[in-house]
Amino acid sequence: MSDDLRTGALVYHRGAAATGTRPGKIEIKPTKPLGNQRDLALAYSPGVAAACDAIAEDPRQADELTIRQNLVAVLTNGTAVLGLGNIGALAGKPVMEGKAVLFKKFAGIDVFDIEVAETDAQRLIEVVCALEPTFGGINLEDIKAPECFEVEEACKARMGIPVFHDDQHGTAIIVAAAIVNGLELAQKSLGSVKIVTSGAGAAALACLNLLVALGAKRENIWVTDIEGVVYEGREALMDRWKSVYAQKTEARKLAEVIGGADVFLGLSAGGVLKPEMVASMAPKPMILALANPTPEIMPDEARKVSPGAMICTGRSDFPNQVNNVLCFPYIFRGALDVSATSINEQMKVAAVRAIAALAREASSDVVAKAYGGETRLFGPDSLIPSPFDPRLILRIAPAVARAAMETGVARRPIADFRAYEDQLNRFVFRSGFVMKPVFSAARAAPKRVIYADGEDERALRAAEVAIEEGIATPILIGRPNVIDVRARRYGLTFKPGVDIEIINPEDDKRYRDYVALYVERAGRKGVTPDRARTVVRTNATVIAALAVQRGEADAMLCGLEGRFHDHLRSIDRVIGLASDAPDYSTISLLISGRGAYFLSDTYVTPEPDARSIADCAVHCARVIERFGITPKAALLSHSNFGSHDTPSAKKMREALAIIRELAPDLEVDGEMMGDIALLPSLRERLLPDSRLEGEANLLLFPNLDAANIATQLIRTLADALPVGPILVGAAKPAHILTPSVTARGVVNMTAVAVVEAQGQPLPTGVLGGS
């Protein structure tokens, strides 16, 4: 770990009074109102007694009356933490909090992290079993072998809820999916291939057990560990779980058993698989070199001696990353949703097959956009899906739930899988996935983004992240000495003038060229040559716009200081309107726990007419498509479908007619109240034949006051993450942020600007898709 990453991680975890953040990564929030005496009486005494009585009479009522069926324990004793070893339960707490965040982010599952100061297996078993009334499932984590086998085995036998050691089974499921797909490409049968492992810990043995369940033959499996080959009669470092794979052989080293192997599974240490060993393997071998951070063999070394090798690692900088987050949130999602009493082999096999099948699916429009427009094809470098593929939850959770039902461990079977899958689909866009396609697209083809406020701490931090994440090449406007001093003060690692280009307003060789271009672009807008010389020395927004106009940057961000309309005037003078845009407008994205919503126009036109609202709707819909989201537009008003004839209601009604002429494929309706836009059941009662289906995600307002007030209220009351405002209508990518934006907000808008600058073709009209 670099010093910078270590420092950044500590800052990330530490609380800060100035920003109101607490130490750690998770918190607990109530889900019901507590605003008056009646609420208190319902939530606690005396009303809570009714819920207690109901559960005492029928324990199954706990699933309906408490959080239990969506609550998982992530539990460790800290004896084998994240490559750090036996660091103890307390030191393992940040990892368990991290696991809790992943459960919530990817599958909407609530977690209590539990760190138990107990290394005796029997006593740990008693602790875990005693927790059953609290949880719908137990995720054991970072418990060393062989105790982890004993603890999981005993707890599964005694408890009536799923107990799942993710270090074992999460890895095993992803490994098995990769092997299934790799063998299909190699035209080999799992029942006939030779499998050799390096490492015989919890994960390795779980991988082998699952492969056997899928059809691999025990006699074809050769296990090695730090003591060498696992053979019949060996006594050192043996246990009953490892002994299952003992072979009758005189071989004692990995090199003596690797010859002719079709599959190498490494869960051991870096560098143990030598090139000459790879050369002795069967044609088209599968190599899963999963040691981190250094694999058992680097992919380029393996391919030098075996060009047809298919290689997986545990690293994100190589194709085919074996990452547990691909499965564990969704396995628990499926298990919890049917109140499963366990996660059995059939459920794990169902997860394997779902993951393997997803990798073979043709990319949807959404997934293609997530990879910068690239259509990812099933092949040696695409054996398993990306951890951020939004379809994972849609494939794995239903497959696991079905398997639970088919094997009789589901206490609450799903009656309507179509409705269940629709519920999961809605979750995808409530979980922050909305920015993932944008960042992935930006990373696929980074562009030059110029920050007008280059001396501001937020711009400096955003530039550092843009470089680290590979989403953009930052250009900063500012004084080099100031940028250098502040970057070092904030602990940033980029080198001004080396890693990042700087435009110094006080001394830049392009100054005369910039002045000449500014006079050319703004001379007929009241800018004299003398005025131009002053502005190009003092107005960073103008400098940024000139750099974009000259092709020295691909996109610009400004607005960390100053008034929005002052910045817009500068952009208009230099860059101007796009040829197909009648005027500027803005769209603000708010990501809340309920979902992602785009609001417009939030900053530009105080009193737009019907035509302006219609034009804004069409252009904003195109912006939404860049997020991989199908726009669903609602024209908001105090009136519902003609219930009032005020000027603003008539204006929104007229805008609807214009939109349907301009973009007949856009899913839009109005005029309607805000609750009708977001509650389909209410809308269906009022207007059963509405062309808008489901929740609206593009909210269009009758004037600037309504749009801006709504944006600020939703952001504050719903604790929503804001992205934007996104300026719509400029001839080249230019965006005006707000003084309240955070560094992370600047990063988000950097990605948005890059995707816009990539110029990915958008169709006329509006895309469909999911």
Side-chain angles (χ1 to χ4, degrees), residues 21 95 216 266 268 313 322 347 360 454-455 512 518 574 693 752 769:
T21 58
V95 180
S268 54
T313 70
V322 174
M347 294 160 74
R360 297 193 296 268
E455 296 178 3
R512 292 180 184 275
Y518 191 44
V574 177
E693 296 183 3
V752 170

Side-chain angles (χ1 to χ4, degrees), residues 74-115:
V74 173
L75 186 148
T76 189
N77 64 356
T79 52
V81 176
L82 196 66
L84 300 174
N86 188 358
I87 60 174
L90 182 59
K93 187 173 180 65
V95 180
M96 302 308 111
E97 285 189 2
K99 197 69 176 284
V101 170
L102 297 177
F103 265 109
K104 188 67 174 180
K105 182 76 169 180
F106 288 98
I109 294 171
D110 296 300
V111 165
F112 289 162
D113 64 289
I114 298 180
E115 294 74 36

Side-chain angles (χ1 to χ4, degrees), residues 28 305 343 570 593:
I28 296 173
V305 295
I343 295 174
S570 296

Side-chain angles (χ1 to χ4, degrees), residues 369-400:
K369 287 177 184 177
Y371 291 95
E374 171 194 359
T375 300
R376 290 171 62 88
L377 300 176
F378 173 55
D381 286 336
S382 187
L383 296 173
I384 44 182
S386 160
F388 295 113
D389 191 324
R391 296 173 297 176
L392 283 164
I393 192 170
L394 306 178
R395 301 293 186 274
I396 300 173
V400 169

Side-chain angles (χ1 to χ4, degrees), residues 145-210:
E147 288 88 345
C148 61
F149 301 119
E150 187 177 349
V151 172
E152 186 190 45
E153 187 178 85
C155 291
K156 286 177 69 174
R158 289 173 53 180
M159 301 176 76
I161 57 174
V163 180
F164 185 86
H165 187 212
D166 185 50
D167 299 322
Q168 296 179 53
H169 308 299
T171 302
I173 288 165
I174 308 305
V175 164
I179 289 175
V180 165
N181 279 345
L183 294 182
E184 178 177 310
L185 289 174
Q187 296 184 322
K188 298 178 182 180
S189 164
L190 183 57
S192 61
V193 295
K194 179 180 179 180
I195 301 170
V196 176
T197 77
S198 174
L205 294 178
C207 289
L208 296 179
N209 292 340
L210 187 53

Side-chain angles (χ1 to χ4, degrees), residues 397-421:
V400 169
R402 285 185 188 277
M405 291 164 57
E406 290 167 0
T407 56
V409 298
R411 291 188 295 109
R412 189 176 53 183
I414 292 171
D416 185 347
F417 265 89
R418 185 172 181 177
Y420 176 58
E421 289 164 7

Side-chain angles (χ1 to χ4, degrees), residues 238-446:
M238 292 295 289
D239 55 59
R240 61 186 174 92
W241 295 278
K242 193 185 300 184
S243 297
V244 170
Y245 295 101
Q247 290 274 20
K248 188 174 183 179
T249 179
E250 297 298 321
R252 294 295 182 264
K253 296 180 181 178
L254 174 62
E256 296 172 15
V257 297
I258 193 69
D262 300 280
V263 177
F264 169 81
L265 173 59
L267 286 150
S268 54
V272 301
L273 184 65
K274 306 301 180 186
E276 57 270 23
M277 297 182 190
V278 174
S280 73
M281 294 179 70
K284 297 182 180 179
M286 280 213 68
I287 298 172
L288 295 101
L290 307 183
N292 260 328
T294 305
E296 283 80 1
I297 189 168
M298 297 299 288
D300 56 339
E301 293 180 8
R303 287 203 176 96
K304 283 180 183 177
V305 295
S306 182
M310 290 170 278
I311 304 168
C312 301
T313 70
R315 291 171 43 152
S316 60
D317 53 346
F318 292 114
N320 297 323
Q321 182 193 16
V322 174
N323 188 330
N324 287 12
V325 79
L326 270 165
C327 69
F328 72 77
Y330 316 121
I331 289 173
F332 269 96
R333 182 72 280 156
L336 294 174
D337 289 341
V338 294
S339 297
T341 56
S342 66
I343 295 174
N344 56 34
E345 287 300 304
Q346 293 90 333
M347 294 160 74
K348 288 182 277 185
V349 168
V352 170
R353 299 202 186 284
I355 294 167
L358 179 56
R360 297 193 296 268
E361 283 188 34
S363 294
S364 68
D365 291 341
V366 175
V367 176
K369 287 177 184 177
Y371 291 95
E374 171 194 359
T375 300
R376 290 171 62 88
L377 300 176
F378 173 55
D381 286 336
S382 187
L383 296 173
I384 44 182
S386 160
F388 295 113
D389 191 324
R391 296 173 297 176
L392 283 164
I393 192 170
L394 306 178
R395 301 293 186 274
I396 300 173
V400 169
R402 285 185 188 277
M405 291 164 57
E406 290 167 0
T407 56
V409 298
R411 291 188 295 109
R412 189 176 53 183
I414 292 171
D416 185 347
F417 265 89
R418 185 172 181 177
Y420 176 58
E421 289 164 7
D422 183 57
Q423 174 188 333
L424 294 175
N425 194 46
R426 290 199 301 271
F427 167 76
V428 169
F429 295 108
R430 291 201 306 268
S431 60
F433 274 97
V434 67
M435 287 302 295
K436 297 301 180 185
V438 179
F439 274 86
S440 295
R443 200 173 290 115

